[in-house]
Amino acid sequence: MSRVAVVTGGSRGIGRAVALRLAADGQAVVIAFGHSSAPADAVVAEIAGKGGQAAAVRADVADEAAVAGLFDVAEQRFGGVDVVVNAAGVMHLSPVAELDLDELDRMHRTNIRGTFVVGREAVRRIRRGGAIVNFSTSITRLSLPTYAAYAASKAAVEAISPILAKELRGRDVTVNAVAPGPTATELYFDGKDDATIERAAKMNPMERLGTPEDIAEVVASLAGPARWVNGQTIYVNGGVA
């Protein structure tokens, strides 16, 4: 029986790369998307074209009923849930003095409440031997100006994950967070000029931005063979310090 993964934010960027990688590893994948169905349908078609199994479901990660429906699809279509990758997230950059509090609430709803809602449903549904992977950011360590609100929302994810790992004692389920550094995605490029992107690429000893596939490689390990890594935040950033 193949493992079954639920990937939120799986239609774009890092989430898309994760969905494709898990499918390539033989897992059936249910992709949750928030808005346009076209990108999610394209990922499903790409997986199916390579002989894999996938489905796409519209689901707001902060909505309990929508997330329950997402897990229902995984169970009905593929028989259960073994892996939950919570890659959905939003980012708004602003100095604290100029912060739009509505944007703060939006990040809180998706990045923090969404992690709780998805995590709660995962605890109720995930099978023994499963894995939960949440997403933080290396910005929690770098303390860059304009990132305060976003970093705060992701620091909450780092707090949630090891506690959830302990709450799952005896279930043989791991819970970890992955914290990417600057990664070449639409979300990262939004609002940044070329000079800013070039500086970010030089921040690590590898002297490049990460790729979504770099991050997906680590997630795939946590979602499969890396059973002795639990309750950790893994910084995947090429050595940014």
Side-chain angles (χ1 to χ4, degrees):
M1 180 186 299
S2 67
R3 285 164 74 82
V4 180
V6 170
V7 181
T8 72
S11 63
R12 301 176 185 273
I14 293 172
R16 176 182 181 276
V18 168
L20 293 172
R21 174 58 187 269
L22 295 181
D25 289 347
Q27 299 198 33
V29 181
V30 179
I31 297 162
F33 65 94
H35 300 292
S36 173
S37 63
D41 291 340
V43 179
V44 170
E46 184 171 349
I47 291 171
K50 296 177 180 177
Q53 299 182 86
V57 180
R58 186 189 302 272
D60 175 356
V61 294
D63 183 312
E64 308 100 298
V67 170
L70 169 66
F71 279 74
D72 286 344
V73 170
E75 292 179 340
Q76 292 162 7
R77 288 282 302 274
F78 304 118
V81 177
D82 303 284
V83 173
V84 177
V85 180
N86 197 22
V90 295
M91 178 171 65
H92 174 73
L93 304 184
S94 170
V96 171
E98 301 168 14
L99 180 62
D100 181 337
L101 295 180
D102 287 340
E103 291 290 350
L104 175 65
D105 291 342
R106 178 170 170 257
M107 282 190 287
H108 185 286
R109 187 176 190 279
T110 298
N111 298 352
I112 302 178
R113 178 185 167 93
T115 299
F116 274 108
V117 172
V118 173
R120 187 177 69 167
E121 202 65 34
V123 168
R124 295 171 176 176
R125 310 271 195 133
I126 200 164
R127 296 187 286 206
R128 290 189 66 84
I132 299 170
V133 182
N134 293 320
F135 266 77
S136 179
T137 172
S138 290
I139 296 297
T140 57
R141 286 186 172 181
L142 298 176
S143 302
L144 298 178
T146 75
Y147 281 89
Y150 178 67
S153 73
K154 290 300 190 177
V157 175
E158 295 189 20
I160 294 163
S161 301
I163 294 172
L164 184 56
K166 291 180 178 179
E167 291 178 351
L168 283 163
R169 176 182 293 274
R171 295 273 302 274
D172 189 25
V173 173
T174 62
V175 185
N176 294 287
V178 170
T183 305
T185 66
E186 181 180 339
L187 178 67
Y188 179 75
F189 288 136
D190 185 36
K192 295 181 176 67
D193 58 26
D194 290 344
T196 298
I197 293 168
E198 184 175 355
R199 284 196 301 272
K202 298 293 186 181
M203 288 174 66
N204 67 76
M206 311 297 285
E207 296 191 333
R208 67 172 176 85
L209 294 178
T211 68
E213 290 73 23
D214 290 327
I215 314 306
E217 181 177 21
V218 176
V219 174
S221 180
L222 295 173
R227 300 302 303 161
W228 202 234
V229 181
N230 193 20
Q232 307 300 310
T233 297
I234 312 298
Y235 289 85
V236 189
N237 59 27
V240 171

